[in-house]
Amino acid sequence: IKPSNLKIEAKTAGGTVQAGVGYASVQLGKHVRNPVVFAIIPGIDGMEADGIIGMNYLNQFRFEIDQAGGHLSLAG
């Protein structure tokens, strides 16, 4: 993961926030995506999140989200 000094304005359900931008190389099995650009969105009013993967990454796969089990499955 490579952070940068770049900040963007991100619109969230809780309002607009300043988010840091970073770059990473992500490998899942034999699938490598480099670079993956991501934003680090700060928590709002004490709320926390496990993490979010954006559609700019997910759209490269067939994916399924199991919300009850908290799982994300990706297929190449």
Side-chain angles (χ1 to χ4, degrees):
I1 297 175
K2 297 179 183 176
S4 74
N5 294 326
L6 182 62
K7 298 273 187 189
I8 62 168
E9 189 173 272
K11 294 182 181 181
T12 70
T16 301
V17 297
Q18 291 294 310
V21 175
Y23 306 88
S25 176
V26 178
Q27 180 172 354
L28 297 168
K30 64 181 180 177
H31 301 282
V32 178
R33 300 295 188 255
N34 188 22
V36 174
V37 179
F38 62 89
I40 303 167
I41 299 174
I44 299 172
D45 296 329
M47 294 175 55
E48 295 182 14
D50 291 332
I52 298 173
I53 297 177
M55 287 304 298
N56 64 333
Y57 182 74
L58 289 177
N59 70 6
Q60 300 175 51
F61 299 94
R62 290 186 312 272
F63 65 92
E64 182 177 316
I65 299 172
D66 174 2
Q67 290 181 333
H71 297 280
L72 170 66
S73 299
L74 302 174

